[in-house]
Each structure stands twice: as structure tokens, then as C-alpha cells.
């Protein structure tokens, strides 16, 4: 309620819209969360994390084409934001494209060598290759 009140007072207040979106995602209201992540992204330049988070909501709702377009937009806006590459890797895994996923995870690690999510996901890809029945 307080986040909504803050947004009534200042509709483009990044922290309120981002935190509200994060909390909505936590209770699996992905469509509403996506809306507030996009509002956060629109609140000013350099809000790539919010754009990537909106794409994650699309992934959770199985809107994979929209998620990919949003992640590519995030990459275009900030080529050094490694999480966009990592989430593209996750998307490729959802689509059953582990080789392509691996390429994105490697790009994420190249941008941020200690991106533990990307490193762990590379391990997941390697493990899945060895344990296919």
C-alpha cells in the first residue's frame, strides 16, 4: 500500500515501482510485476536491471518471444550489463538450446568474471550434456 501511495505522489519514483514489482513477483503476480518493472525502467536512463526483470516476468509467463526482444533491447542499451546475457542464456535453456545458452553465459562471464549465476549455469549446461539419457 505504501509503495502505491508513493507512486501516486511521484509516478516515476524508481525505488517504489521497482520494489513493488519485486514484491509482486514474489507472490507470483507476474503480469502486475512486469508492469511495474517496465514503469521502473521508464523512470530514467540506465535502468537496465528493471528492463531485464520485466523480461524475466515474461519468461515466467511463457511469453518467450517478448522476453527475448526485451533482453536484446537491454543488451542494446547497456552492452556491459552481464545479467542480460545471463538471462538470455536462461531463455535459451527454456527453449532447449543449450549450446546457444552456453554462448550467452560465457558472454555474461566475460562482462563480469564473478557472475556466479552465469558460472553456475555453465555448470548446469555441462552437467546436462553428460547426464542425458
Amino acid at each position: 500500500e505504501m509503495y502505491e501511495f508513493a507512486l501516486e505522489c511521484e509516478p516515476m519514483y524508481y525505488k517504489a515501482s521497482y520494489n513493488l514489482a519485486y514484491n509482486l513477483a514474489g507472490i507470483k503476480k507476474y503480469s502486475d510485476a512486469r508492469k511495474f518493472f517496465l514503469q521502473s525502467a521508464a523512470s530514467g536512463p540506465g535502468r537496465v536491471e528493471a528492463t531485464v526483470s520485466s523480461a524475466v516476468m515474461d519468461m515466467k509467463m511463457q511469453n518467450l518471444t517478448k522476453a527475448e526482444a526485451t533482453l536484446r533491447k537491454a543488451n542494446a542499451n547497456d552492452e556491459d550489463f552481464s545479467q542480460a546475457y545471463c538471462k538470455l542464456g536462461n531463455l535459451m535453456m527454456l527453449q532447449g538450446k543449450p549450446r546457444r545458452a552456453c554462448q550467452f553465459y560465457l558472454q555474461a562471464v566475460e562482462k563480469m568474471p564473478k557472475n556466479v549465476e552465469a558460472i553456475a549455469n555453465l555448470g548446469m549446461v555441462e552437467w546436462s550434456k553428460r547426464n542425458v539419457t
Side-chain angles (χ1 to χ4, degrees), residues 41-61:
S43 71
R47 306 295 194 196
V48 180
E49 183 177 4
T51 301
V52 169
S53 295
S54 74
V56 171
M57 297 304 100
D58 283 325
M59 289 166 57
K60 290 185 178 291
M61 295 184 295

Side-chain angles (χ1 to χ4, degrees), residues 101-113:
C102 195
Q103 292 170 342
F104 284 117
Y105 295 142
L106 288 170
Q107 284 180 286
V109 172
E110 180 182 310
K111 301 295 180 185
M112 190 174 94

Side-chain angles (χ1 to χ4, degrees), residues 11-51:
M12 299 306 281
Y13 184 53
Y14 176 78
K15 285 184 179 181
S17 57
Y18 189 89
N19 289 340
L20 177 56
Y22 185 85
N23 287 318
L24 289 166
I27 58 172
K28 299 184 181 185
K29 292 189 175 190
Y30 302 129
S31 182
D32 292 335
R34 181 184 185 279
K35 179 180 90 171
F36 285 105
F37 279 130
L38 288 173
Q39 183 175 332
S40 299
S43 71
R47 306 295 194 196
V48 180
E49 183 177 4
T51 301

